[in-house]
Amino acid sequence: MQTVEEMLEKAREAQAEWEKSGQKRIDAVVREIGKTIYDNAESLARLTVQETQAGNYEDNLRQDKRKACIIWHGLKGRKSVGIVKRDEQTGLVEVAKPIGVVAAILPMTIPVTNFMSNAMFSVKARNAVIAAPHPKAAKTVAATAALILDALAKFDVPGGLIQYLEEPSIDLTKELMAKADVIVATGGMPMVKSAYSSGKPAYGVGPGNVQCIIDRGVDIEEAVPKIVDGRAFNNGLPCACEQAVMIHRDDIDEVLQCFARNKAVFIDDSETIRRLANTLYTDGVLSRDGMGIPAPKLAEKIGFSVPQDTRVLLIRADHNTMESLRKEKLSPVTLVYTYSSFEEAVQLIKANISLQGRGHSVAIHSSDQEHIEALAIAIPVTRVIVNQCATTSAGGSFMNGFGATTTLGTGFWGNTLLQGNLDFTHLMNYTRIGYPPAAARVPADEEIWGEDPYLEER
């Protein structure tokens, strides 16, 4: 097994050679990475579930194929070589340059797509990448890398451009982070904090705790299936899953009936809810026993009988609900709150987000633009997802403008530098040329300090 130092030496040599590549060659290689995952999604999805013992084959298959499509679609036609932007008004010209070697720290929950995404972004930006897999997904990442490297052989890509730690450990990962040029850390907060303390620039993520409002007057038959699909996806593992839903008290019966038709079971017994909380969390920490397992299996663990086709467990919630249930659960469990006014719903969300999930996302099903934008103004998050399944939309979609990615930043609210969704542009240096614009002139002091119509309006 190679040492981290040996891997870095190979990566730097490969990156120096790759940096000379033209845009056409780069884009052909990036496309091949995505297409390889798309073409091999079936075997990789099976391996992911077998190794991690979390999630399910069908959703991993959907995820691997969908992410390959939307990420490549989002990268097509975008420049990463030479002059990438000209602003005639300001006279600024931007020249893109690589950073060097990217250390990509991968989570257990999305090993295939996160390796793919980091490889596509790094190669697009003319960097080399070394991935550090989660130990519980090391075989999956090894298989993913082998398929990609085999597919890239025809492009004569320099050896060492894409690598991974074969036997990952905390110590090796820390060494990699300390010696690479930039870090992309996707996973739990301890690991992200370690990335930030490495002494190298790092992009990290924060925990998700996506709260969702069903506003008055929306089509419940349209909104509810999206929420169920989002919470049930891969047995609740994605960080963008709908963790809680706010329902107007006058609509609660109709909405719960719709949830039931979509195979979501409502639990309102206090003792059962307590047992669930103790199963999901142990001493304030998420328990592996309840993570990423189907709703019927989770119900069985707490002695609660549900139909075998149940997709989501709905839990009655209010101001007195246990803190652990109000946080990210990584399981197909959604809290159900009732509200009397939209303002109350916003306050409920603010309270839960303050507990965990600052900076991540909220979702709303509404046709009221004022409500939508009031929510965006009130809640400290980087994304407000409107009339969509949060799980499959927060990381980019053909139906919204969020950047296609597997790394969702939470901004300064979530103690990360990454505002929004990671893109290859975050992995480049830029040299800026400052030309004097044709219409440039020095304004008189009177123009600078004179009456301002904007201030007058205020």
Side-chain angles (χ1 to χ4, degrees), residues 120-388:
M120 293 174 79
F121 289 163
S122 298
V123 169
K124 176 80 171 181
R126 293 182 292 161
N127 297 309
V129 60
I130 302 175
H134 190 288
K136 291 183 180 178
K139 292 179 181 177
T140 301
V141 170
T144 304
L147 288 167
I148 288 172
L149 293 174
D150 184 61
L152 296 185
K154 61 181 177 249
F155 294 96
D156 195 26
V157 172
L161 189 69
I162 300 173
Q163 301 179 72
Y164 63 96
L165 299 180
E166 294 181 6
E167 297 179 10
S169 67
I170 292 174
D171 289 341
L172 289 178
T173 299
K174 285 184 175 180
E175 182 183 357
L176 174 63
M177 291 192 295
K179 294 179 178 179
D181 297 307
V182 63
I183 304 164
V184 178
T186 310
M189 284 312 296
M191 181 274 296
V192 172
K193 289 179 180 178
S194 180
Y196 282 141
S197 64
S198 67
K200 292 299 176 73
Y203 292 113
V205 302
N209 188 18
V210 180
Q211 310 289 298
C212 177
I213 294 178
I214 298 180
D215 202 358
R216 304 302 311 278
V218 301
D219 186 340
I220 292 170
E221 296 291 340
E222 183 177 328
V224 167
K226 292 176 182 177
I227 296 170
V228 173
D229 285 347
R231 197 64 189 107
F233 192 91
N234 213 19
N235 298 340
L237 285 177
C239 63
C241 282
E242 291 89 339
Q243 301 279 339
V245 58
M246 316 293 159
I247 306 166
H248 194 277
R249 64 180 183 180
D250 291 344
D251 297 331
I252 186 67
D253 291 339
E254 182 183 356
V255 173
L256 286 180
Q257 289 170 13
C258 188
F259 268 115
R261 290 193 294 276
N262 284 274
K263 301 178 182 178
V265 173
F266 183 61
I267 301 174
D268 63 358
D269 174 66
S270 298
E271 178 58 25
T272 303
I273 293 171
R274 185 191 63 79
R275 290 199 301 270
L276 177 62
N278 292 338
T279 299
L280 295 179
Y281 273 84
T282 303
D283 297 328
V285 179
L286 267 172
S287 170
R288 184 68 181 84
D289 289 342
M291 191 183 300
I293 62 176
K297 186 174 181 180
L298 181 57
E300 183 181 345
K301 282 181 175 288
I302 61 173
F304 188 77
S305 179
V306 299
Q308 285 303 300
D309 62 354
T310 299
R311 302 183 67 202
V312 172
L313 302 180
L314 301 173
I315 307 301
R316 173 183 51 79
D318 55 31
H319 293 284
N320 298 315
T321 296
M322 299 170 65
E323 277 198 1
S324 58
L325 288 176
R326 292 167 53 206
K327 298 192 291 186
E328 185 177 47
K329 292 170 279 295
L330 297 184
S331 60
V333 175
T334 295
L335 302 186
V336 173
Y337 291 84
T338 57
Y339 66 87
S340 299
S341 67
F342 188 80
E343 291 72 23
E344 182 186 2
V346 171
Q347 290 306 310
L348 287 167
I349 286 177
K350 187 175 289 187
N352 285 350
I353 290 287
S354 296
L355 183 64
Q356 187 182 64
R358 281 170 57 86
H360 203 288
S361 311
V362 295
I364 181 169
H365 295 268
S366 177
S367 57
D368 188 325
Q369 185 174 346
E370 287 188 10
H371 279 181
I372 294 167
E373 294 178 1
L375 177 66
I377 291 168
I379 306 298
V381 292
T382 56
R383 302 166 202 81
V384 176
I385 303 155
V386 181
N387 297 329
Q388 299 164 77

